[in-house]
Amino acid sequence: MKGCCGATPQLYLLYFPVLEDELRIFTRILAAVTMAALVVGPVGAATIPSGPASVAQATSTTTGGLTGTVTDDTGATVAGATITVRGVTTQTTTSDAKGAFQFSDLPAGLYSIVAQRAGYQTAQQSDFAVFAGEVERVAITLPRASFSSLRTIATVRSTTHATFNTSTASVTTISSQDFVNQSATQVMSALNELPGVQASYSADSTNPVSPAGASFPNIRNALSYETATLIDGHPVSVGRYGDYELNFINPFMLQSVEVIKGPGADALQTNYAIGGTVNFRTLDPTATATPMYTFGYDNFGGTFFNFGLSNTVGRLGFVFDIAGDNDPSPINNPVYIGNLNNGVAYVNGTNDVLGYNNSQTPIPGTDGAAYNEYNLRACCFTVTGNYDNLSELLKLRYKFSSATTATVSYLGSQTQADENGVTSQQTPSIFVPGAGYAGTVPLGATFLSNNVYPAPDTELNNEPILQAEVSTTLDNDTILARYYHASIYRLISQGGNNPNQPTWGVDTLSGTNSGGQTYNDVTVPVAWYEYYREDEIDKLGGTDFEYTHPYGDKGSTATFSWS
């Protein structure tokens, strides 16, 4: 017993030193974990929901790193860009010949990243998290400085491909792929799905069902002429009505559409942008050969196509694209002549005028009333809303050096449309012939009457746009200069070339005209004096010059511009 009990103190004397060392190590580990949680934990939850992408193992347990590449909006690398991080510490580096850059030994925490290079737009992001023991990777896009983009938009893309809006206005961008995903052959269908943007149509002369119907964007309930429309950053000719018709822009020509919501947001004249600004950006040359080809058809018998090629060969980048849209529209049905120009149509070359009852009657299912009781009807002609568009884009971009680039482009649009189905009003009507009628159409028969002339009402629209732009740098300053010229040549015509010569057709007349003449379903020649012609020529041209000087390390700039 004595030997046993005597061994017990020795056992405890050997055990306690070991336990004490282990407790001391455990305490140090617990303190280190607690400090790391206090420093890293809130940062990780702040900005990187999917977690960092570790591309290298940092050597320190309290610092991390940052590496990435800088490219322009065509995917080409940007060398010589200045990247500055500000947070727990401030560091600056420059991208190499391959656009790569890196920071090491950054204390864990939140940082802002600013990337700048003369001749490019500044990109920046706030609240970027750097984790201890890891190296974060980012891909920075510096769009080339150009009038074609609203310059308050700048993005930094992280591994989650997020886009950061740094402007003071609400910004929405529709990409060319969005149009493809929707099979949209006109831009208004995609714009109309954006919150705060509504399609606007002329109240008395547009049927929205027709692709030829004039459409305009309204932003935040502003009127159509209070929404600025730009193409590649410059205003377009808007004609006598003060708004730009979007149905003549083919979406296959576009790189993107930038919608800026807010009074005067980035427009040259605030009074034209009370609601906001819509900027259509045409396709830019790609860094590698990119063919474009699309063909489709719709259930109304229409077809559309797009063929093009984009590439950069040596110093020369180019885009060539041609697209067409032939749409007969759903407005393609036979109707009857009712209140045809207040009845002014002539039978057999005489003053035998088509007549109708001048009293208005209620339209079933509505609160309205119309002249829809007709003593005489003429059957039948077909109302259409055909739309046929052909668009072309040719853009050449030559890179004289890493600092100097020249761009020349032509955007064309030629459209022919039948406005008959666009501007017509088809009214459910009732046949009430006078005494003596003995034809086959029963009294009280219903039919659709049309309020326009039977002959096609043709609109021809031609919109050529020319641009030439030079971008260069002087030390850290950016210099831009551009010439542009946009035109609208539009002709809306109806009937022949002589207002004194009628248009002849053959129709079946039933009922009694205003002179008491009765027609018992007789097919006779009918003439219409329907001459109409409206020519419109609008031209807008000018030059722009801009000088931008960056200062500080937060992306601040001073700009002088002249137009």
Side-chain angles (χ1 to χ4, degrees):
M1 293 292 297
K2 185 176 181 179
C4 175
C5 296
T8 300
Q10 296 179 3
L11 179 62
Y12 278 95
L13 288 174
L14 291 174
Y15 175 76
F16 272 116
V18 175
L19 181 62
E20 184 178 6
D21 291 339
E22 289 180 348
L23 287 175
R24 186 180 297 108
I25 295 174
F26 176 78
T27 302
R28 290 178 178 176
I29 293 175
L30 181 61
V33 171
T34 302
M35 291 295 294
L38 291 174
V39 174
V40 180
V43 175
T47 57
I48 310 294
S50 60
S54 298
V55 296
Q57 185 64 41
T59 58
S60 173
T61 59
T62 60
T63 62
L66 177 66
T67 183
T69 56
V70 183
T71 58
D72 63 17
D73 43 3
T74 68
T77 58
V78 177
T82 300
I83 300 92
T84 301
V85 294
R86 294 174 58 88
V88 182
T89 185
T90 298
Q91 293 188 24
T92 300
T93 189
T94 303
S95 60
D96 60 20
K98 297 182 178 180
F101 68 91
Q102 65 178 359
F103 293 93
S104 59
D105 296 328
L106 291 175
L110 292 177
Y111 290 85
S112 63
I113 306 174
V114 177
Q116 295 176 300
R117 190 188 189 285
Y120 297 82
Q121 300 176 47
T122 298
Q124 58 187 357
Q125 180 193 348
S126 302
D127 298 333
F128 189 90
V130 172
F131 296 85
E134 294 182 352
V135 178
E136 315 303 329
R137 181 173 180 82
V138 296
I140 299 178
T141 299
L142 287 181
R144 180 172 289 276
S146 170
F147 291 104
S148 65
S149 180
L150 300 179
R151 291 175 295 279
T152 58
I153 300 175
T155 62
V156 173
R157 291 189 175 94
S158 69
T159 54
T160 57
H161 302 288
T163 301
F164 306 93
N165 170 32
T166 60
S167 76
T168 57
S170 173
V171 180
T172 303
T173 300
I174 303 175
S175 67
S176 57
Q177 188 61 41
D178 293 330
F179 291 111
V180 173
N181 294 342
Q182 295 186 26
S183 297
T185 57
Q186 292 200 4
V187 298
M188 196 67 249
S189 59
L191 286 174
N192 205 28
E193 295 183 359
L194 297 180
V197 180
Q198 305 86 32
S200 173
Y201 299 93
S202 179
D204 58 353
S205 62
T206 297
N207 188 335
V209 175
S210 172
S215 59
F216 322 93
N218 286 5
I219 298 180
R220 293 181 173 176
N221 293 323
L223 299 175
S224 57
Y225 57 83
E226 296 174 330
T227 298
T229 302
L230 314 177
I231 294 182
D232 286 334
H234 70 75
V236 291
S237 185
V238 296
R240 62 185 294 187
Y241 301 109
D243 42 30
Y244 184 77
E245 295 187 29
L246 298 187
N247 47 307
F248 300 121
I249 299 180
N250 195 307
F252 285 114
M253 303 288 104
L254 302 178
Q255 182 92 13
S256 62
V257 181
E258 299 164 336
V259 180
I260 315 298
K261 304 171 188 175
D266 292 287
L268 297 179
Q269 293 86 23
T270 302
N271 58 306
Y272 293 131
I274 294 176
T277 303
V278 180
N279 182 40
F280 296 94
R281 294 190 59 196
T282 56
L283 294 170
D284 284 324
T286 55
T288 58
T290 305
M292 298 169 283
Y293 47 89
T294 301
F295 179 83
Y297 65 92
D298 59 35
N299 58 346
F300 297 111
T303 59
F304 59 90
F305 70 89
N306 179 60
F307 297 103
L309 177 65
S310 176
N311 194 11
T312 298
V313 180
R315 295 176 178 267
L316 178 64
F318 66 88
V319 178
F320 172 74
D321 196 28
I322 181 170
D325 181 18
N326 174 256
D327 192 343
S329 92
I331 302 178
N332 193 344
N333 59 297
V335 298
Y336 302 89
I337 303 171
N339 54 330
L340 176 62
N341 193 30
N342 292 327
V344 180
Y346 301 89
V347 180
N348 290 321
T350 68
N351 292 335
D352 201 359
V353 181
L354 297 177
Y356 61 94
N357 191 325
N358 283 322
S359 62
Q360 287 191 347
T361 56
I363 301 176
T366 73
D367 294 329
Y371 298 113
N372 65 338
E373 289 188 358
Y374 294 97
N375 300 331
L376 179 70
R377 70 173 196 170
C379 178
C380 300
F381 72 98
T382 300
V383 172
T384 63
N386 298 334
Y387 171 88
D388 195 358
N389 170 266
L390 182 66
S391 298
E392 314 87 17
L393 173 65
L394 176 61
K395 181 179 287 188
L396 303 176
R397 177 171 291 163
Y398 191 81
K399 192 171 185 179
F400 292 95
S401 66
S402 60
T404 304
T405 302
T407 303
V408 178
S409 68
Y410 164 78
L411 174 65
S413 172
Q414 304 87 43
T415 305
Q416 177 173 332
D418 183 2
E419 295 289 297
N420 204 329
V422 176
T423 59
S424 64
Q425 298 175 7
Q426 299 175 23
T427 307
S429 302
I430 303 172
F431 182 51
V432 287
Y437 173 70
T440 60
V441 181
L443 176 68
T446 59
F447 62 95
L448 283 178
S449 66
N450 209 72
N451 71 322
V452 297
Y453 299 101
D457 180 1
T458 303
E459 178 177 12
L460 301 176
N461 190 83
N462 182 21
E463 297 188 14
I465 299 177
L466 297 172
Q467 297 184 80
E469 179 179 305
V470 176
S471 171
T472 188
T473 62
L474 180 63
D475 295 329
N476 291 327
D477 299 342
T478 300
I479 303 173
L480 296 172
R482 183 180 62 177
Y483 166 81
Y484 65 89
H485 192 279
S487 302
I488 297 176
Y489 301 93
R490 184 174 299 156
L491 169 63
I492 302 177
S493 62
Q494 188 168 256
N497 294 322
N498 187 344
N500 298 318
Q501 295 294 326
T503 300
W504 286 88
V506 177
D507 291 286
T508 299
L509 303 184
S510 303
T512 306
N513 71 0
S514 58
Q517 175 68 39
T518 299
Y519 298 94
N520 294 316
D521 310 334
V522 179
T523 300
V524 295
V526 179
W528 299 271
Y529 287 90
E530 55 180 356
Y531 174 84
Y532 177 80
R533 184 181 183 94
E534 178 183 273
D535 290 281
E536 182 179 344
I537 300 178
D538 303 304
K539 297 181 180 180
L540 179 65
T543 56
D544 294 323
F545 176 82
E546 180 178 298
Y547 190 100
T548 301
H549 174 72
Y551 62 91
D553 55 4
K554 296 183 179 181
S556 301
T557 59
T559 301
F560 167 79
S561 63
W562 173 85
S563 294

